Amino acid sequence: MNRRDFLAASALPLVSGVAPGLLSAANAQPAPFDRSIVRQAARDLANKPYKAPSEKLPDNLANIDYDRYRAIRFLPERALWRGEKLPFEAQFFHRGFFYKNRVDIFEVKNGKAAIIPYQPDLFSFGDTAPPGPGVDLGFAGFRLHAPINKPDYYDEVCVFLGASYFRAVAKGQLYGLSARGLSINTGEAKGEEFPFFKTFWIEKPAPGANSIVVHALLDSESAAAAYRFTIRPGDTTVFDVEMAIYPRVDLDHAGLAPMTSMFFFGPNDRKDVEDFRPSVHDSDGLAIFNGRGEELWRPLHNPRDLQASSFADLNPRGFGLMQRQKDFAAYQDLESNFERRPSLWAEPIGDWGEGAVKLLEIPTKEEIHDNIAAFWLPKAPLAAKGEHTYTYRLHWGPDAPKSTSLARFSRTGVGARGDNAAIFVLDVIGERLKSVDPKTLRGVVSAEKAKIQNIVTQPNPATGGWRLSFELSREKAPVEIRASLMQDNEPISEVWVYRWTP
């Protein structure tokens, strides 16, 4: 299966006893709704033994293959709010293939929530026979549309589909990396747990509104959680996320603001690759603006073995998986258009305390796999039977919000110099570099268990920036490297950090 096609294709009913005011699929009468109801539902879930979601489907849907599932299409003319001249519309996904969990979706208007009933005539089924009359399957997820590129056309701007995954794009972009509501035990030997959104409430937007609010109830073997997303599409699409987690057990490895992406190869990593394209990735690096005011750039890597990196911090200011390379020539892929994939920046609101930004790089031999994960890992476990609240902002767009005027690393090239040595060529761009006095500029490079030599800095007229290069030889692997540009004794660039594992 082709990953790009898969992305393009892109829970039991909640009963009224879960929390006051919640509707079940069997009760179509609107009920009063406010944000406190979702939190109470999450508390109630966490105080009960976990119950796995139902995957029961008619046989022809339970055993459907990818091509038949992709042929089941929501009919755009049946979109929620179609013809009401509102700034958003919603469309829904059918259950089947990988997406067997039932998801209930409610519309909220005038302070009341009413379930959006499943109806087979909302979909075209291709060669698959639709369910019979009276069958209530719920949905697999939904997507929101808005006139983000043209004032008279509703483009898809975000999608919630599969476990707790969701994706978004900004103006002029194509889908790439994903975010998640919560990750549990990601990268741990005991195996990852996949929480899932079981219920959504979509607030009907007012005419002329520039945002839409979505509430979500999450469940998992180890925790339940409540979410409120305020979504604002634009040149950068922004999600304001309010989250409350209610663990059933102590959570030692709860990943907050998790994101997932793909890195197959690039100019720093082309070993054993025979491909006409210079690079293939949805993201090319992890950026961090830490609580000490330091800006880090960590180029991504497709390792031969699983690699886990932790960047300890106190009250981080932001982190994200970025797609900095925006030039078609860097990819030469007319189908995938990797230069149009969004970057995703997570901006904590308030103090998140001690912890670390964790990066996982998983070996892959194909571009169809998401092999990169990043998230915030609190130092202290999230205690069972407690309430743990976090607020953060997700920026989907061409870049992260610019924090300072420091120059940035735009390209990392690595070449072999024998079995135990390599040359690194780093391009740096930024306004401050255009007027710098060359006599005051120098490259600073350090590495443990390795020898650094031939550090060279020189102008790069093709980019209007500078190039920093150096050679490294080592006795043991892996090698952790840091590099930056200094003007006299002051940093003029962010800090480039890299793990070399030849």
Side-chain angles (χ1 to χ4, degrees), residues 1 63 73 117 129 137 156 167 178 193 200 207 241 252 278 323 367 389 398 411-412 422 444 449:
M1 182 199 314
N63 302 317
R73 303 281 184 146
L137 296 181
E156 187 174 341
R167 295 178 288 138
S178 301
E193 187 175 315
F200 291 97
V241 185
D252 296 324
Q323 184 77 320
E367 65 190 85
T389 59
R411 183 182 183 274
T412 296
V444 177
K449 301 181 295 185

Side-chain angles (χ1 to χ4, degrees), residues 113-132:
I115 197 163
I116 300 170
Y118 167 81
Q119 302 172 62
D121 62 5
L122 294 173
F123 301 89
S124 62
F125 284 83
D127 295 335
T128 301

Side-chain angles (χ1 to χ4, degrees), residues 165-433:
Y165 286 91
F166 57 98
R167 295 178 288 138
V169 292
K171 182 178 180 179
Q173 293 189 321
L174 304 174
Y175 280 132
L177 78 172
S178 301
R180 296 165 64 183
L182 181 68
S183 70
I184 298 178
N185 298 331
T186 304
E188 296 300 306
K190 57 185 174 182
E192 183 169 5
E193 187 175 315
F194 288 92
F196 63 95
F197 288 131
K198 62 183 301 177
T199 312
F200 291 97
W201 295 260
I202 308 173
E203 294 191 13
K204 185 175 183 178
N210 64 0
S211 66
I212 187 170
V213 174
V214 174
H215 305 261
L217 177 65
L218 176 143
D219 200 13
S220 181
E221 184 176 351
S222 299
Y227 295 79
R228 184 179 189 269
F229 301 94
T230 303
I231 302 167
R232 301 191 301 276
D235 293 334
T236 294
T237 292
V238 178
F239 284 44
D240 289 333
V241 185
E242 301 167 65
M243 172 177 61
I245 306 172
Y246 303 92
R248 290 184 170 93
V249 299
D250 291 345
L251 296 180
D252 296 324
H253 297 92
L256 307 183
M259 49 192 76
T260 304
S261 191
M262 180 273 294
F263 182 93
F264 187 25
F265 63 87
N268 62 312
D269 186 359
R270 285 189 59 92
K271 286 187 177 180
D272 304 321
V273 173
E274 294 183 6
D275 200 296
F276 73 92
R277 299 166 295 181
S279 301
V280 172
H281 50 71
D282 283 339
S283 305
D284 52 13
L286 169 68
I288 300 173
F289 188 15
N290 65 29
R292 299 183 298 276
E294 187 178 46
E295 295 184 52
L296 306 179
W297 174 247
R298 167 62 153 79
L300 297 178
H301 179 51
N302 182 2
R304 294 183 176 177
D305 301 298
L306 172 68
Q307 297 285 341
S309 303
S310 293
F311 302 87
D313 201 3
L314 172 65
N315 298 326
R317 302 187 191 185
F319 65 93
L321 292 175
M322 317 306 293
Q323 184 77 320
R324 284 189 175 176
Q325 180 54 260
K326 303 297 185 185
D327 188 351
F328 169 80
Y331 306 102
Q332 296 289 339
D333 193 321
L334 292 172
E335 177 188 358
S336 297
N337 296 121
F338 292 111
E339 70 279 2
R340 295 176 61 192
R341 304 298 173 98
S343 296
L344 176 56
W345 181 260
E347 176 190 358
I349 306 298
D351 293 341
W352 278 20
E354 288 189 81
V357 176
K358 190 164 185 179
L359 172 67
L360 295 177
E361 297 165 300
I362 304 167
T364 184
K365 294 183 179 180
E366 299 177 285
E367 65 190 85
I368 62 173
H369 302 297
D370 280 346
N371 63 320
I372 303 295
F375 50 87
W376 173 256
L377 182 65
K379 182 177 181 179
L382 304 186
K385 309 305 179 184
E387 179 183 67
H388 307 272
T389 59
Y390 298 89
T391 302
Y392 59 98
R393 184 168 290 130
L394 295 176
H395 303 259
W396 308 77
D399 205 348
K402 186 59 179 169
S403 302
T404 72
S405 61
L406 292 178
R408 307 170 71 189
F409 289 88
S410 61
R411 183 182 183 274
T412 296
V414 181
R417 286 289 190 269
D419 293 337
N420 298 314
I423 181 170
F424 291 79
V425 180
L426 316 178
D427 283 325
V428 195
I429 58 175
E431 289 298 319
R432 290 180 62 181
L433 294 177

